[in-house]
């Protein structure tokens, strides 16, 4: 693949009007998925026509442009990143930035369904850790939440990733009345297996058909209070520049994160942007502002036009978001689905 995009020293660091430096890119490589999680998409979800998607070469060039602008961490996501055809070609190519020192970390967020197939190769490329979504340890409940997911395959994928030496963080979306009785069990299981765990609040993004956000929404402030009655939770100072806050669970030694975009304001330290699989740059998870990077990428085989478009967009990065879930506001706060930008 084309690895010829030059670094642009004049553009480093990529700093927004509020003094925040963008070091982290989440790149969606597909909006398609082999699951249909109830909080993420409707069962009859409509996907982008394939022609709208960036090619693997374009994704590679785009990532290279961001890395040239000082991005140090790249997370591939989706949809399900590992169902994109030939995704390993892209990952192998991106790994050159790890070898070359342009990237500190190349990682991905996955539902785990394809990990048994790809774990060894990912580790071989220099991927050190993966986030795996797992909302329940009960096979029947897992099937009800993911609709099309196969619990045994995900477990086999997690085992393969662990055997390949990948560090694993489990992402669990907290769903009112659905899996809220499982947090203790999940903390213990992750502790036994040496995995970190992050609990995620449902975010009002995209129309998921039928389910109302209010019925799924469980504030993590409430969850944290409940957990504190059973576990010894010690706050950790570290932050990844994202919406997670971490504690150490004394009884297991594991790290537990809370992603609380609705109950905690995390925007002041935001260091990240997201790009959809069609090349739309989203400046904030909780807002619709975007910039098209596909047109400059296609119009100009050099990095010049796309770098200019990225710079112009970062100059418009909003200070923060305004997610709200309430009885009055039934419409999603953000029109796109989470599968467009990968969380
Ligand atoms: N398919 C991969 C997976 O599930 O890990 C990657 C993409 S998925 C959109 C990324 C993360 O977003 C997952 O952990 C998923 O649980 C979470 N997610 C999806 N929709 C969400 C929503 N409406 N609110 C909160 N988290 C959501
Ligand atoms: Fe697919 Fe991930 Fe969305 Fe579930 S959360 S439907 S696995 S993209």
């Amino acid at each position: 693949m084309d690895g010829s995009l030059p670094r642009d020293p004049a553009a480093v660091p990529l700093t927004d009007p509020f003094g925040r430096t963008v070091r982290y890119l989440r790149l969606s490589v597909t909006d398609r998925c082999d699951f249909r999680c109830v909080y993420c998409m409707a069962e009859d979800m409509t996907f982008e026509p394939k022609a709208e998607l960036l090619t693997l070469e374009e994704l590679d060039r785009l990532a290279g442009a961001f890395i040239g602008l000082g991005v140090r961490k790249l997370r591939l996501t989706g949809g399900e990143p590992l169902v994109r055809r030939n995704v390993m070609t892209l990952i192998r190519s991106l790994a050159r930035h790890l070898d070359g020192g342009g990237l500190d970390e190349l990682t991905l967020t996955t539902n785990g369904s394809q990990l048994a197939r790809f774990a060894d190769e990912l580790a071989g490329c220099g991927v050190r850790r993966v986030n795996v979504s797992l909302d329940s340890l009960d096979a029947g409940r897992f099937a009800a939440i993911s609709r099309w997911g196969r619990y045994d395959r995900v477990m086999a994928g997690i085992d393969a990733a662990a055997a390949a030496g990948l560090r694993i963080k489990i992402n669990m979306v907290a769903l009112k009345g659905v899996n809220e009785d499982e947090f203790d069990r999940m903390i213990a299981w992750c502790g036994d297996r040496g995995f970190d765990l992050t609990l995620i609040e449902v975010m009002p993004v995209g129309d998921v058909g039928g389910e109302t956000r209010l019925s799924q929404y469980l504030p993590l402030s409430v969850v944290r209070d409940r957990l504190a009655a059973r576990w010894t939770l010690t706050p950790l100072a570290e932050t990844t520049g994202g919406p997670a806050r971490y504690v150490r669970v004394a009884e297991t030694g594991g790290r537990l994160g809370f992603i609380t975009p609705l109950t905690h304001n995390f925007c002041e330290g935001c260091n990240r942007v997201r790009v959809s699989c069609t090349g739309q740059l989203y400046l904030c998870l909780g807002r619709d502002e975007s910039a098209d990077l596909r047109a400059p990428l296609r119009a100009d085989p050099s990095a010049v036009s796309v770098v200019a478009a990225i710079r112009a967009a970062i100059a418009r990065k909003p200070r923060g978001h305004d997610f709200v879930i309430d009885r009055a506001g039934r419409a999603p706060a953000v029109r796109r689905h989470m599968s467009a930008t990968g969380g």
Side-chain angles (χ1 to χ4, degrees), residues 5-271:
L5 287 179
R7 281 180 77 82
D8 181 354
V12 177
L14 198 53
T15 303
D16 78 2
F18 305 101
R20 299 170 299 188
T21 300
V22 175
R23 297 282 187 207
Y24 182 5
L25 171 66
R26 292 192 174 206
L27 181 59
S28 171
V29 300
T30 178
D31 61 340
R32 287 169 170 71
C33 188
D34 51 346
F35 292 6
R36 291 289 183 279
C37 301
V38 290
Y39 50 78
C40 181
M41 46 175 97
E43 195 154 15
D44 60 350
M45 174 80 178
T46 309
F47 295 106
E48 294 285 349
K50 288 218 167 116
E52 297 291 318
L53 265 56
L54 297 182
T55 65
L56 294 177
E57 286 75 12
E58 287 166 343
L59 287 164
D60 190 57
R61 285 175 55 214
L62 189 55
F66 275 98
I67 292 163
L69 289 166
V71 160
R72 306 287 315 172
K73 179 171 170 181
L74 176 58
R75 175 177 296 279
L76 303 183
T77 179
E80 174 46 42
L82 295 179
V83 302
R84 173 83 194 239
R85 188 189 292 262
N86 295 329
V87 71
M88 285 311 305
T89 309
L90 173 67
I91 296 175
R92 273 194 301 274
S93 179
L94 291 172
R96 74 188 184 280
H97 298 291
L98 292 170
D99 302 336
L103 267 187
D104 295 331
E105 185 170 41
L106 173 60
T107 182
L108 69 159
T109 301
T110 172
N111 65 24
S113 69
Q114 311 298 316
L115 268 181
R117 210 167 125 209
F118 291 126
D120 283 338
E121 213 177 338
L122 288 168
C125 287
V127 173
R128 294 280 161 261
R129 56 189 192 113
V130 288
N131 288 2
V132 184
S133 300
L134 182 67
D135 298 323
S136 177
L137 287 167
D138 176 279
R141 192 180 274 180
F142 177 85
I145 298 171
S146 64
R147 291 199 186 101
W148 296 1
R150 285 177 41 203
Y151 182 77
D152 293 349
R153 264 182 85 164
V154 172
M155 282 297 150
I158 290 173
D159 290 344
L166 297 173
R167 276 176 38 218
I168 295 171
K169 189 176 80 167
I170 299 294
N171 281 345
M172 179 183 191
V173 175
L175 298 163
K176 188 161 89 180
V178 177
N179 63 1
E180 60 180 309
D181 58 348
E182 275 199 72
F183 301 139
D184 290 328
R185 186 175 171 208
M186 189 67 92
I187 289 172
W189 183 79
C190 286
D192 284 348
R193 305 260 344 224
F195 304 157
D196 288 336
L197 171 64
T198 298
L199 302 177
I200 306 177
E201 249 170 23
V202 175
M203 296 176 226
V205 294
D207 184 1
V208 289
E211 314 265 353
T212 69
R213 298 293 176 188
L214 197 61
S215 71
Q216 299 174 335
Y217 178 54
L218 175 62
L220 286 189
S221 49
V222 173
V223 174
R224 189 171 167 154
D225 289 347
R226 272 193 229 154
L227 294 178
R230 155 94 193 259
W231 306 91
T232 313
L233 308 179
T234 312
L236 297 172
E238 65 204 80
T239 161
T240 56
R245 294 290 173 269
Y246 295 97
V247 299
R248 180 76 60 201
V249 184
E251 289 81 357
T252 67
R255 217 168 63 130
L256 173 64
F258 298 88
I259 300 193
T260 57
L262 297 153
T263 54
H264 189 111
N265 196 316
F266 55 86
C267 303
E268 68 282 349
C270 181
N271 63 354

